[in-house]
Amino acid sequence: MGELQKVPGIENVHLERAQVEYQICADADTAIYADGAIDAADASVQINWWPEHDDTAADWYQFHYYDSAGFDCGWHRHANDHVDGLAHYQERSSDDADYDYYPTDLDYDNPTGILWETIGDRLPARLKHRYE
Amino acid sequence: MDDDIAEIVGAGAPDDDDDDSPRGKEAWKEQSKAIERVISVALTLDRPRTADWVADEAAVSPQTARGHLGSLSELGIVAETTARGVTKYQIDAAYTRFREVSQYIERYEKDELIDVVKQTKERITTAKDRYGVDAPDELRAKTTHEDTPTEDIEEYKKAASEWETFEYRLDVLEEAIERYDEFSRTEVTA
């Protein structure tokens, strides 16, 4: 949680209960995050991490973004029917649209590195590309 | 998806013109010291890793990673093992346990923890009923049975993994509840 608070423009980092799981949630200040590129009043991020008990397998995760303009996207690693393998990126323009899915190969493997790679770099770059 | 977006989100082949620096590395380095990054990675070492692996993941030199990992090992935060001349580091199980119990006590009211225990037990009961087995290992064993349909294998693996998480969390939560009054909020520093 402390690490997410360090990302410029990310605020109000807190835990939320999802069923019996806890997930990390935070708001993105749309005037600051992604250098103010987001054309929406509100934006937020949500992080889930599911440890894999089999030492030979990778942990599962979800680093996801939502905004009040309807766009949402995220980097996930879990079983799915959309791409070969576990790791993928998905996005959609509104909550009644279907997601587009793409296999991904992130640079980092550890949770903090992935946080900085996605929330700290790839996500703001994607938002700038979309909104600017 | 156009190539620009594919490159941004990490989909498809990486651009050969780029250097090998991981995305996000510079932003992370701007916001943290080397020792903070090593600690951050070390606290997630749920399997043995070399100092070189930690160095790559923490954006520090191998020498720096080795030095900080050595200190964390002396403090009992990571466990160090050497086999065939290769030293690997993994978060210490007892330290992890203490930290998790402390965090639950620090962040939640006792009643909330009791509520999560109840829900976790319900999820375990649901899994037992749904799959007709008594333990996650038995469910995982079903994935190799001849009569298990191929389309069910992934679901069984996922459910077994979740079930193990519930069992582990239940154990930690029960300890947190048991020790709640002993570890008052003001006393918890971990």
Side-chain angles (χ1 to χ4, degrees):
Chain A
M1 283 178 69
E3 204 67 34
L4 184 57
Q5 283 168 333
K6 293 180 187 172
V7 178
I10 296 293
E11 54 191 26
N12 186 28
V13 178
H14 60 285
L15 284 176
E16 279 183 12
R17 174 108 57 91
Q19 297 182 327
V20 299
E21 306 283 338
Y22 287 96
Q23 58 196 15
I24 299 174
C25 299
D27 299 327
D29 184 333
T30 55
I32 299 173
Y33 187 69
D35 295 330
I38 302 168
D39 189 11
D42 301 306
S44 61
V45 293
Q46 179 187 306
I47 298 173
N48 300 77
W49 192 273
W50 298 282
E52 177 55 67
H53 296 271
D54 173 358
D55 276 357
T56 61
D59 291 346
W60 291 3
Y61 59 71
Q62 199 166 293
F63 290 74
H64 209 91
Y65 164 88
Y66 302 89
D67 68 34
S68 56
F71 180 66
D72 79 73
C73 68
W75 289 263
H76 297 198
R77 186 165 64 201
H78 53 72
N80 69 91
D81 298 328
H82 309 287
V83 301
D84 288 336
L86 301 176
H88 59 280
Y89 168 81
Q90 62 186 71
E91 70 169 48
R92 61 182 176 179
S93 299
S94 65
D95 60 10
D96 56 1
D98 291 332
Y99 278 112
D100 291 321
Y101 298 87
Y102 308 92
T104 53
D105 184 14
L106 296 182
D107 295 333
Y108 283 108
D109 278 325
N110 78 89
T112 312
I114 292 173
L115 184 156
W116 280 100
E117 180 174 354
T118 56
I119 310 293
D121 186 311
R122 294 187 186 276
L123 176 59
R126 175 68 191 98
L127 294 168
K128 286 179 192 175
H129 192 280
R130 176 176 177 79
Y131 287 114
E132 286 184 346
Chain B
M1 176 180 278
D2 70 38
D3 290 346
D4 284 351
I5 299 177
E7 207 272 326
I8 288 169
V9 303
D15 186 341
D16 289 340
D17 294 335
D18 279 356
D19 61 31
D20 292 333
S21 185
R23 298 284 299 238
K25 177 180 172 180
E26 292 311 314
W28 190 11
K29 285 177 77 171
E30 276 173 26
Q31 301 292 335
S32 60
K33 297 174 188 167
I35 188 170
E36 292 171 334
R37 295 195 299 281
V38 172
I39 290 173
S40 181
V41 173
L43 291 178
T44 66
L45 290 175
D46 56 359
R47 62 201 70 184
R49 300 286 195 181
T50 63
D52 285 353
W53 187 91
V54 173
D56 279 347
E57 289 287 315
V60 300
S61 71
Q63 193 180 0
T64 300
R66 206 162 285 116
H68 292 321
L69 286 166
S71 301
L72 293 171
S73 174
E74 284 175 18
L75 290 167
I77 294 171
V78 298
E80 189 178 318
T81 52
T82 302
R84 292 187 289 277
V86 178
T87 300
K88 292 187 176 180
Y89 304 86
Q90 181 171 15
I91 190 159
D92 184 82
Y95 174 77
T96 305
R97 175 77 177 204
F98 171 77
R99 192 161 165 260
E100 288 174 342
V101 169
S102 301
Q103 284 178 340
Y104 274 125
I105 292 171
E106 187 179 20
R107 291 176 182 162
Y108 301 104
E109 298 295 334
K110 197 172 180 179
D111 285 351
E112 287 182 281
L113 297 179
I114 291 169
D115 189 32
V116 181
V117 163
K118 185 167 166 265
Q119 290 181 47
T120 307
K121 283 181 174 171
E122 285 169 4
R123 293 289 290 265
I124 291 171
T125 303
T126 302
K128 283 182 182 175
D129 292 347
R130 180 179 172 91
Y131 299 108
V133 292
D134 288 326
D137 281 351
E138 292 176 35
L139 180 55
R140 191 166 278 117
K142 282 180 77 168
T143 62
T144 56
H145 285 182
E146 283 177 7
D147 53 354
T148 298
T150 312
E151 61 268 27
D152 289 346
I153 290 175
E154 278 305 316
E155 181 193 331
Y156 287 4
K157 283 183 184 172
K158 181 171 184 285
S161 182
E162 281 180 349
W163 190 344
E164 281 167 339
T165 300
F166 293 148
E167 298 272 15
Y168 177 77
R169 184 171 305 140
L170 189 58
D171 205 36
V172 175
L173 283 162
E174 286 178 334
E175 184 177 343
I177 291 166
E178 195 180 307
R179 305 183 75 176
Y180 201 91
D181 299 329
E182 175 193 344
F183 281 25
S184 73
R185 280 167 190 270
T186 51
E187 287 170 348
V188 173
T189 54

